[in-house]
Structures are given as structure tokens and as C-alpha cells.
Amino acid sequence: MSTAGLDRRARRRQETIAEILDVAIELMETEGVAALSLSAVARRLGMQPPSLYQYFPSKMAIYDALFQRGAEKLRDAYRAPRDAARSTDPLELNLIAATAFSRWCLGHQVYCQLLFWRTIPGFEPSPAAYAPAQEALNDLRDHLQATVDAGYLRPDATSDEALALYTSMTAGLLSQQMANEPDVSHEEGRFSRLLPVVLEMFYQRYAPTRGK
């Protein structure tokens, strides 16, 4: 969140919130996503635990803020390379976007656990926190629609069922990568490098019927 245009007190508050979230991510990386402790966050920041409640009323509120931050970062990481690409071929653009998605996820695995796996009992993101994730899903539907318009896919490739299949296939691939080779890059990963194959499987499932 930008602090431009805020007065000094409001800017300092936003900076402290950002510090809290940074520390929370660091602790989740070492202790586990579900093991986050508000007292540990406060100690790392040099503040008393009650002071933390001035910024976040509960641990779930921190998770919610982190979900929104992660979803925004992933949405932007997904958009930027595709928007900057010179190609107009939808299949190539889809691969560029999917590859950017994979690289970001492998580089931010704590966020991914929060975004894609139910690692925190009872946690549900608020509508505001979920909004950027929905924007990313809408982007995916638009990308698939462009692929339909180019004649590569049937119209039902943009259906809710098709999006569920697409996201299940790509997220499953990344889940396997993180579970088996968490420290390996997208290009070197035994599973992540199969991303073009997974996309091709999706395209075959929704390929236009010949002769119709």
C-alpha cells in the first residue's frame, strides 16, 4: 500500500502495518503458516503484545491482510509479463502468464500456502482480501476467451467448469513441485517444467471439434 498523500501519523501507521506483515511472513517461513504467534511478532518488532492489537485485532486479521497482500502481488506478477510481451499469439501469451504465475508461487511459497491451501483452521478471507484473487481469475477467463476467439478452443473453455479444471491442473503441478523439490527453480523443477504439457492437455480437452 502506498503511503503517498498521507499525513505523518497515518504514514507511520501504514509503515508499522507493513512491518508487522513482513515479520509475520518471516516467522511463518520458519515456524509454519498455522503456527504464527502474535506474541512472537510483537517480540520481533520490540513492542508489547497489547500494542499489536492497535493494528490487528486478532491473528486472523493478520492472515486476512497477508492474503490480500499476497493476492495483489500474485495478480501483478501474473499480469506484468503478459502485458509487456510483444507477441499477439494467445497460446504464447497464456504460457507467458502461466510461467510468471509458477515462478512467483515457487518464490513465495508461504503466501501460496495461505492463498491456495487451507492450512489455517477456520480462516476465510474477507471479501476485500479476496477481491484481487477474483481479479486474477477474471484475467484468466479473459485470456481463455481470447484463445477461444482465435479459434484454438471451444467456447466452453471459459466456463466455470473449465476454469476449475485449469486451476486444479496448474495448482496441482505447483503443489507437487513444492512438496518434492521446494528449493528448485521453475525451469529446473521436475514438475514445474511440465507446465507447457499441462497447458497442452487443457487445450486438447477443449479443442474445437473438427468438421463442425
Side-chain angles (χ1 to χ4, degrees), residues 1-19:
M1 179 181 293
S2 173
T3 60
L6 299 177
D7 62 35
R8 185 167 61 180
R9 179 176 296 180
R11 183 166 59 250
R12 179 54 188 157
R13 178 177 176 81
Q14 290 303 321
E15 290 171 349
T16 301
I17 287 172
E19 290 173 8

Side-chain angles (χ1 to χ4, degrees), residues 28 33-34 63 67 74 101-102 104-106 108-125 167-179:
M28 290 159 66
V33 173
Y63 284 134
F67 187 101
L74 178 54
F101 174 87
S102 174
W104 189 91
C105 288
L106 294 178
H108 302 83
Q109 296 184 30
V110 171
Y111 278 116
C112 287
Q113 291 180 53
L114 190 59
L115 291 170
F116 304 125
W117 293 278
R118 290 184 175 270
T119 52
I120 305 159
F123 172 69
E124 290 283 347
T167 54
S168 296
M169 293 170 70
T170 52
L173 188 77
L174 290 173
S175 179
Q176 284 286 79
Q177 185 60 49
M178 293 178 196

Side-chain angles (χ1 to χ4, degrees), residues 110 191 198:
V110 171
F191 300 94
V198 166

